[in-house]
């Protein structure tokens, strides 16, 4: 609840009247026809090529592993040669048989799993070199329509030939799947996906023909399903309209390399061949207007699949290779360079919108390159992912942008069970990378809330002025920090000189993006007369920029003060616990946490994350547990910043008699029980049996010393805590947000202060009152100063226009001196208020106006 505790005194009206919106983005949260499935993280998968030492991707992502079964190459004395070290199948030429060797694969999978990374997909792409046995190679540059050429024996990726002996490969895949099931169990292997091929129409990925691949896919798919009929199997092609180098490059049978998609779909349908997912590749080169054209992206990438009459509508579609780049071939010879300006941010938001809008057609995930340990999602995707789990509602776009080629759109989402509304809007242009004049955008939504409901909101804006790289290059213009031949929109670690990168890493972004303070707004009646109410606002949106809005009711912020208990005792409590290493599974059925051990890994672990436990408040860990493993020592670890789990583990003895025991563990003598605990692990050096927890509870240090906390308010405003009881030592940040037309004056009672938020530590009974007072118009000599003009005055419709107004900020007060409205621009609309006299304040001058 960090965000809730940072509510700060703010008084504002959300309707920024005066900006004439050119585009309106809207939805109706009460219209079931606009309701879609919940938003999910489509950017949750990272690609890794032949990982040998576990995961080096950041926590929370799933991994797609490429080239895992062998067939890779290495360079020796400047020449490409076959690397057999990781081949899972060898050919014994003396005994004329294939020899399986799965240890390299198992070793790499184990390291991934033990790195606490979820393995999503194993790609069966480059076959082991053994499966070239039986081929005859003809000289490079020749073709006999039968044999492969010498230069096709080793591609830039390794072995890109179909297996010469199809039956031998079929038997090998069956043996491979059997080994995986024996090692990891059927349940875990069924959770993995098996992809056949990578960008198969690209010569260096697949030198075979279309027919070769259709046969290879069928042969491999049937071998996988012979062991696991419900295994998740798919493939990875280029876009349906793909043709390699305009058809100028021919395969060994004289055919151009072009899309296999149409014939693959037809063959699969006609022959009862099942694919569960289909992968496509796409790289948006930011300087290429065709590749960054989002208006045609769906049809180009996916239309040829989903519109095919024999398409499997149950299949999902992923972008399995994706990056937003400045070039595919950097001048340093190190491949593509990621784009790092706001252009890339909004490309990826636009791509996300394509995926969400077409989720019903199977669009699911995007596998983005990078994502190494220490990296983070870009701001746009971070903002979008904060909406995950909320119900997605279709957006309506109306009006004409000032720049006709701008594509302005939005994501609307609502919590299914609460009045929480999130909106993310963005401005993208596929025709030009030039930053243009800001767009005026009206954002509005209808909700089920009755008119007159007070909401609290905040927003987060991001444009070129918030981008670190763009600010750095602007502030250091003329210093020669960008290397010759490099695009200045690229990633800093690639485009900057050595001195430039040092300067960049030491550079502090002068304008990082951040949320505004929370403010209040009152909903107004719907324009269509329907049940519920309406919210609208007008904002300015820059080129290649986004803005995220969050609207919440008082219930979102208000939390009853309760004793700081931490206890897990039912299925819902235990459900966040997960296995974080191989050798065990976690079951949370029947209101129990069951750790089942199934293999001989050294430390099978289970963990719960996302905690916020103040260690100073607790003295005892109480376990209600039974143990039927061969061991009696359970170990636990709590994370402390800067320390290793293993260094601070604590050992607990649990009799292994399969009987229930209540065990109290003293936390006060544990050096690593300190600070704020956000992750907790338990593990045991066993290989069979199970440990079952009925309850895991942290007992407060001073559970006998409970105090009554009474919190009240005078006037109208929001408090983030309600009255309750608390243990001694608990800490709270009390925050006050005034409603529209009110200001926060201070705290009275047992604590007298104007601090907001108010930081308190409980040591006795407390009675605290927050005081809000109405904002009034002070009377001074400037009241009669008519330095600005308002027309028409009087107004029959309640709309007034300011003339010669160089200042954007104005306020409106009623005849009692109570502020009722504020905003920006030349237009003031009081039509939602009662007829009568009002006072407009502008630049400390005032003018009376009449709404009659």
């Amino acid at each position: 609840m960090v965000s809730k505790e940072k509510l700060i005194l703010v008084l504002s009206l959300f309707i920024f009247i005066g900006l004439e919106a050119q585009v309106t983005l809207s939805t109706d949260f009460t219209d079931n026809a606009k309701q879609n499935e919940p938003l999910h993280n489509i950017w949750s998968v990272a690609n890794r090529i032949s990982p040998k030492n576990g995961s080096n991707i950041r926590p929370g992502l799933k991994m797609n592993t490429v080239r895992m079964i062998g067939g890779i190459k290495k360079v020796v004395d400047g020449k490409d040669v076959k690397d057999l070290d990781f081949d899972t199948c060898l050919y014994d030429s003396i005994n004329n048989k294939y020899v399986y060797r799965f240890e390299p694969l198992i070793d790499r999978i184990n390291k991934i799993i033990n790195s606490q990374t979820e393995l999503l997909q194993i790609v069966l792409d480059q076959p082991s070199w053994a499966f070239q046995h039986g081929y005859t190679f003809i000289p490079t540059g020749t073709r006999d329509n039968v044999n492969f050429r010498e230069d096709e024996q080793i591609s830039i990726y390794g072995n890109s030939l179909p297996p010469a002996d199809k039956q031998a490969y079929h038997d090998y895949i069956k043996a491979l799947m059997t080994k995986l099931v024996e090692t990891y169990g059927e349940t875990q292997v069924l959770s993995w996906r098996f992809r056949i091929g990578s960008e198969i129409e690209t010569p260096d990925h697949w030198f075979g023909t279309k027919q070769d691949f259709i046969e290879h896919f069928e042969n491999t798919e049937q071998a996988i399903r012979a062991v696991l009929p419900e295994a998740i199997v798919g493939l990875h092609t280029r876009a349906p309209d793909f043709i390699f180098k305009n058809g100028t490059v021919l395969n060994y049978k004289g055919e151009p390399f072009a899309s296999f998609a149409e014939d693959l779909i037809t063959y699969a349908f006609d022959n009862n061949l099942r694919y569960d997912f289909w992968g496509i590749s796409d790289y948006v080169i930011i300087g290429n207007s065709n590749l960054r054209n989002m208006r045609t992206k769906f049809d180009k990438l996916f239309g040829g699949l989903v519109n095919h009459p024999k398409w499997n509508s149950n299949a999902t579609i992923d972008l399995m290779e994706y990056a937003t780049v400045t070039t595919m071939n950097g001048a340093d010879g190190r491949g593509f360079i990621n784009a790092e300006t706001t252009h890339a941010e909004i490309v990826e938001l636009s791509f996300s919108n394509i995926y969400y809008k077409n989720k019903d057609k199977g669009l699911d995930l995007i596998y983005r390159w990078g994502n190494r340990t220490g990296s983070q999602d870009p701001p746009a995707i971070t903002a979008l992912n904060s909406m995950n789990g909320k119900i997605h509602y279709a957006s309506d776009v109306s009006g004409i942008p000032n720049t006709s080629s701008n594509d302005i759109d939005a994501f609307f989402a609502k919590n299914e069970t609460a009045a929480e509304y999130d909106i993310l809007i963005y401005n993208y242009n596929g025709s030009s990378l030039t930053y243009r004049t800001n767009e005026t955008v009206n954002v509005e939504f209808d909700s089920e809330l009755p008119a007159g409901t007070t909401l609290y909101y905040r927003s987060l804006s991001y444009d070129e002025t918030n981008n670190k790289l763009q600010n750095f290059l602007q502030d250091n213009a003329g210093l020669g920090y960008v290397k010759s031949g490099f695009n200045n929109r690229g990633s800093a670690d690639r485009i900057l000189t050595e001195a430039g990168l040092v300067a960049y890493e030491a550079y502090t972004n002068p304008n990082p993006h951040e949320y505004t303070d929370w403010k209040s707004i009152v909903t107004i009646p719907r324009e269509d007369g329907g049940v519920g109410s309406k919210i609208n606002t007008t904002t300015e949106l820059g080129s290649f920029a986004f803005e995220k809005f969050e609207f919440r009711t008082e219930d979102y912020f208000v939390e009853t003060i309760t004793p700081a208990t931490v206890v897990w005792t039912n299925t819902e409590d235990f459900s966040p616990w997960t296995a974080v290493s191989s050798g065990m599974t976690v079951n949370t059925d029947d209101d129990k946490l069951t750790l089942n051990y199934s293999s001989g890994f050294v430390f099978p672990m289970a963990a719960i994350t996302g905690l916020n436990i103040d260690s100073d408040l607790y003295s005892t860990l109480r376990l209600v547990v039974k143990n039927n493993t061969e061991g009696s020592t359970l170990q636990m670890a709590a994370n402390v910043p800067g320390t290793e789990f293993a260094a601070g583990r604590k050992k607990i003895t649990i009799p292994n008699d399969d009987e229930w025991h209540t065990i109290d563990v003293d936390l006060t003598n544990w050096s690593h029980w300190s600070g704020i605990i956000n992750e907790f692990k338990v593990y045991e050096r066993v290989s069979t049996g199970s440990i079952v927890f009925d309850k895991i509870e942290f007992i407060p240090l001073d559970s006998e010393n409970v105090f009554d906390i009474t919190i009240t308010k005078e006037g109208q405003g929001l408090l983030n805590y309600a009255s309750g009881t608390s243990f001694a030592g608990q800490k709270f940040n009390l925050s006050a947000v005034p409603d529209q037309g009110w200001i926060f004056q201070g705290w009275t009672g047992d604590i007298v202060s104007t601090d907001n938020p108010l930081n308190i530590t409980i040591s006795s009974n407390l009675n605290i009152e927050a005081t809000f007072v109405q904002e009034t118009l002070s009377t001074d000599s400037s009241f009669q100063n008519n330095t600005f003009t308002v027309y028409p005055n009087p107004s029959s419709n309640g709309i007034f226009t300011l003339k010669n107004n160089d200042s954007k900020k104005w306020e409106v007060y009623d005849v009692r001196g109570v502020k009722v409205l504020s905003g920006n621009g030349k237009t003031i609309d009081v039509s939602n208020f009662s007829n009568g006299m009002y006072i407009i304040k502008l630049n400390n001058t005032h003018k009376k106006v009449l709404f009659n």
Side-chain angles (χ1 to χ4, degrees):
M1 289 191 55
V2 174
S3 61
K4 302 176 188 178
E5 296 175 350
K6 291 185 176 178
L7 296 172
I8 300 173
L9 171 63
V10 176
L11 178 64
S12 176
L13 183 69
F14 191 70
I15 305 175
F16 299 108
I17 301 171
L19 298 175
E20 297 182 359
Q22 302 298 313
V23 173
T24 296
L25 304 173
S26 62
T27 200
D28 184 350
F29 286 118
T30 69
D31 185 353
N32 290 335
K34 291 187 176 297
Q35 183 174 317
N36 301 304
E37 294 182 44
L39 295 174
H40 69 287
N41 184 3
I42 65 175
W43 302 93
S44 60
V45 183
N47 287 321
R48 287 294 316 282
I49 299 175
S50 303
K52 303 176 181 65
N53 299 303
S55 170
N56 67 345
I57 62 174
R58 68 174 183 269
L61 296 180
K62 302 173 185 178
M63 182 186 292
N64 171 46
T65 58
V66 183
R67 294 175 222 153
M68 290 287 283
I69 59 175
I72 62 177
K73 70 167 188 176
K74 59 184 176 182
V75 178
V76 177
D77 296 329
K79 294 182 180 181
D80 291 340
V81 298
K82 299 174 182 179
D83 185 349
L84 302 179
D85 290 346
F86 295 96
D87 275 19
T88 49
C89 184
L90 302 175
Y91 187 73
D92 181 352
S93 58
I94 296 176
N95 296 301
N96 195 30
K97 66 177 183 179
Y98 293 88
V99 179
Y100 305 146
R101 187 184 65 169
F102 296 121
E103 291 78 13
L105 174 63
I106 299 300
D107 179 64
R108 285 189 285 171
I109 292 176
N110 288 345
K111 289 177 179 177
I112 292 169
I113 295 173
N114 289 330
S115 298
Q116 302 179 38
T117 295
E118 182 178 346
L119 181 57
L120 174 75
Q121 181 167 273
I122 297 175
V123 179
L124 309 174
D125 45 359
Q126 314 301 128
S128 296
W129 292 108
F131 295 106
Q132 285 194 0
H133 174 73
Y135 279 130
T136 297
F137 295 95
I138 62 177
T140 298
T142 65
R143 184 173 65 248
D144 62 6
N145 295 332
V146 175
N147 297 299
F148 290 99
R149 283 73 66 100
E150 284 287 351
D151 61 337
E152 294 171 328
Q153 189 170 5
I154 301 178
S155 77
I156 62 175
Y157 302 113
N159 180 19
S160 299
L161 301 182
D165 187 332
K166 296 181 177 60
Q167 184 59 52
Y169 192 75
H170 182 91
D171 295 340
Y172 155 77
I173 291 295
K174 287 174 60 178
L176 169 62
M177 296 301 297
T178 300
K179 178 65 174 179
L180 292 177
V181 172
E182 289 175 351
T183 306
Y184 302 105
E186 185 173 307
T187 300
Q188 185 162 16
V189 178
L190 283 173
S191 73
W192 299 339
R193 309 189 340 170
F194 295 90
R195 187 181 93 197
I196 303 171
S198 295
E199 292 186 331
I200 54 177
E201 300 92 343
T202 307
D204 277 292
H205 278 298
W206 181 260
F207 283 128
T209 65
K210 180 194 309 180
Q211 184 59 34
D212 288 336
F213 184 79
I214 290 175
E215 293 175 4
H216 176 66
F217 179 72
E218 181 176 39
N219 187 44
T220 309
E221 187 265 355
Q222 290 180 350
I224 294 171
R225 298 200 196 281
V227 178
L228 284 179
E230 295 307 312
I232 306 171
V233 182
L235 66 160
H236 179 198
T237 71
R238 302 298 293 266
D241 66 350
F242 175 78
I243 183 167
F244 185 73
K245 294 190 176 180
N246 297 317
T248 59
V249 179
L250 306 181
N251 63 29
Y252 76 105
K253 288 194 174 181
E255 304 164 344
F257 289 93
S259 174
F260 298 174
E262 184 174 347
D263 287 349
L264 266 167
I265 295 170
T266 299
Y267 184 87
F269 181 88
D270 292 345
N271 294 276
N272 197 30
L273 181 62
R274 192 179 98 213
Y275 50 88
D276 301 300
F277 61 88
W278 195 293
I280 299 287
S281 290
D282 193 52
Y283 292 82
V284 174
I285 302 174
I286 204 71
N288 186 315
S289 59
N290 290 326
L291 294 178
R292 69 170 187 263
N293 184 354
M294 292 297 160
R295 295 179 179 179
T296 62
K297 189 67 74 174
F298 176 84
D299 289 337
K300 181 176 178 60
L301 292 180
F302 315 116
L305 301 179
V306 300
N307 296 326
H308 194 289
K310 295 185 176 182
W311 170 252
N312 174 15
S313 60
N314 293 318
T316 57
I317 303 174
D318 292 350
L319 277 181
M320 293 191 176
E321 289 190 29
Y322 179 81
T324 311
V325 303
T326 60
T327 178
M328 294 299 294
N329 298 292
D332 53 8
R334 294 164 50 201
F336 68 77
I337 299 177
N338 285 307
E340 203 165 288
T341 58
T342 66
H343 304 93
E345 301 266 12
I346 311 306
V347 163
E348 295 182 3
L349 278 183
S350 187
F351 232 134
S352 300
N353 219 355
I354 291 173
Y355 258 68
Y356 289 133
K357 287 180 177 180
N358 294 281
K359 188 173 183 178
D360 63 329
K361 299 180 180 67
L363 272 62
D364 191 24
L365 299 170
I366 299 177
Y367 304 5
R368 182 172 45 195
W369 288 106
N371 298 302
R372 299 279 178 161
T373 301
S375 66
Q376 57 186 358
D377 276 322
I381 301 305
T382 298
L384 180 60
N385 281 343
S386 69
M387 301 165 67
N388 288 340
K390 291 185 171 66
I391 303 299
H392 178 217
Y393 283 76
S395 59
D396 293 321
V397 183
S398 60
I400 301 173
N402 289 325
T403 300
S404 61
S405 55
N406 279 346
D407 292 322
I408 302 171
D409 211 334
F411 305 85
F412 286 88
K414 179 186 180 296
N415 188 319
E416 187 174 16
T417 60
E420 299 175 14
Y421 313 92
D422 284 16
I423 305 166
L424 193 157
I425 67 174
Y426 64 91
N427 180 9
Y428 177 68
N429 192 310
S431 300
S432 171
L433 300 180
T434 302
Y435 288 91
R436 308 291 184 89
T437 303
N438 290 356
E439 293 283 356
T440 301
V441 181
N442 186 56
V443 182
E444 59 186 41
F445 64 86
D446 296 318
S447 78
E448 74 284 5
L449 300 173
T453 300
T454 296
L455 286 174
Y456 299 88
Y457 70 93
R458 65 177 183 173
S459 67
L460 172 73
S461 296
Y462 182 86
D463 60 23
E464 62 175 324
T465 67
N466 305 111
N467 183 278
K468 179 180 176 179
L469 177 65
Q470 289 171 276
N471 283 334
F472 173 79
L473 294 178
Q474 179 175 305
D475 290 346
N476 294 276
L479 297 181
Y481 280 161
V482 178
K483 293 186 287 189
S484 176
F486 286 80
N487 188 301
N488 65 1
R489 299 187 185 98
S491 178
D493 64 336
R494 296 285 296 282
I495 70 169
L496 298 180
T497 63
E498 183 177 348
L501 186 58
V502 170
Y504 180 77
E505 291 175 342
Y507 178 75
T508 299
N509 188 356
N511 188 33
H513 59 289
E514 58 184 359
Y515 277 99
T516 64
D517 296 327
W518 291 93
K519 311 169 187 178
S520 69
I521 177 178
V522 178
T523 63
I524 61 176
R526 292 176 57 144
E527 296 172 350
D528 59 6
V531 176
S533 62
K534 187 181 194 67
I535 287 290
N536 65 5
T537 180
T538 301
T539 188
E540 288 195 4
L541 190 62
S543 292
F544 301 99
F546 72 85
E547 187 168 4
K548 165 82 184 300
F549 301 96
E550 296 179 352
F551 295 86
R552 305 289 186 262
T553 59
E554 184 174 0
D555 291 342
Y556 173 82
F557 302 97
V558 180
E559 180 180 354
T560 301
I561 289 182
T562 57
T565 55
V566 178
V567 58
W568 302 301
T569 189
N570 56 45
T571 295
E572 183 178 359
D573 294 340
F574 289 130
S575 60
W577 283 83
T578 58
V580 294
S581 64
S582 289
M584 72 173 306
T585 59
V586 172
N587 187 300
T588 58
D589 294 337
D590 302 322
D591 292 332
K592 304 287 190 296
L593 172 64
T594 303
L595 311 182
N596 294 304
Y597 299 92
S598 59
S599 67
F601 281 82
V602 176
F603 286 123
M605 289 185 256
I608 184 169
T609 61
L611 305 176
N612 185 27
I613 300 176
D614 185 348
S615 61
D616 291 340
L617 294 177
Y618 304 93
S619 60
T620 304
L621 170 66
R622 177 167 295 164
L623 305 175
V624 179
V625 59
K626 65 178 178 180
N627 177 10
N628 68 357
T629 71
E630 70 270 26
S632 60
T633 301
L634 184 74
Q635 301 186 55
M636 66 182 190
N639 72 312
V640 177
T643 64
E644 295 290 335
F645 278 104
R649 62 178 182 255
K650 190 175 184 68
K651 296 182 180 180
I652 306 166
T653 299
I654 303 176
N656 54 349
D657 54 8
D658 201 24
E659 299 289 337
W660 288 109
H661 297 272
T662 298
I663 299 173
D664 285 351
V665 182
D666 184 5
L667 298 174
T668 61
N669 63 1
W670 184 14
S671 63
H672 279 60
W673 185 251
S674 64
I676 301 298
I677 307 300
N678 55 46
E679 184 171 7
F680 197 81
K681 288 184 178 180
V682 295
Y683 50 100
E684 187 178 14
R685 193 192 297 264
V686 296
S687 58
T688 59
S690 64
I691 293 181
V692 184
F693 297 90
D694 184 62
K695 178 185 287 188
I696 302 175
E697 181 178 9
F698 292 98
I699 308 298
L701 186 66
D702 193 4
S703 59
E704 302 300 321
N705 208 352
V706 179
F707 298 108
D708 293 324
I709 312 300
T710 303
I711 302 175
T712 58
K713 64 182 177 181
E714 179 183 346
Q716 296 181 21
L718 165 72
L719 301 179
N720 66 323
Y721 279 104
S723 301
T725 58
S726 168
F727 291 133
Q730 286 185 238
K731 298 177 181 179
F732 300 95
N733 293 329
L734 299 183
S735 298
V737 176
D739 284 351
Q740 180 181 312
W742 294 76
I743 60 174
F744 173 69
Q745 189 175 66
W747 309 96
T748 57
D750 292 331
I751 298 179
V752 178
S753 176
T754 57
D755 291 345
N756 191 19
L758 176 66
N759 302 318
I760 62 173
T761 300
I762 303 302
S763 59
S764 63
N765 295 330
L766 285 178
N767 193 318
I768 306 172
E769 182 173 73
T771 301
F772 300 97
V773 297
Q774 285 186 293
E775 187 175 26
T776 60
L777 178 67
S778 60
T779 57
D780 54 38
S781 60
S782 66
F783 184 82
Q784 299 299 329
N785 188 340
N786 297 328
T787 58
F788 62 93
T789 302
V790 181
Y791 67 93
N793 188 14
S795 168
S796 60
N797 61 4
I799 299 177
F800 300 90
T801 300
L802 298 172
K803 186 176 182 181
N804 300 325
N805 174 24
D806 294 328
S807 173
K808 293 184 178 180
K809 183 68 176 178
W810 46 258
E811 297 171 345
V812 178
Y813 296 78
D814 64 17
V815 292
R816 299 168 299 165
V818 176
K819 186 164 75 170
V820 295
L821 197 62
S822 63
N824 300 282
K826 295 179 179 298
T827 303
I828 301 175
D829 185 351
V830 297
S831 60
N832 287 325
F833 300 103
S834 302
N835 291 8
M837 185 74 70
Y838 291 89
I839 301 165
I840 297 175
K841 178 181 178 182
L842 178 67
N843 291 334
N844 277 332
T845 62
H846 308 80
K847 183 175 288 293
K848 293 180 181 179
V849 294
L850 179 63
F851 170 29
N852 63 0

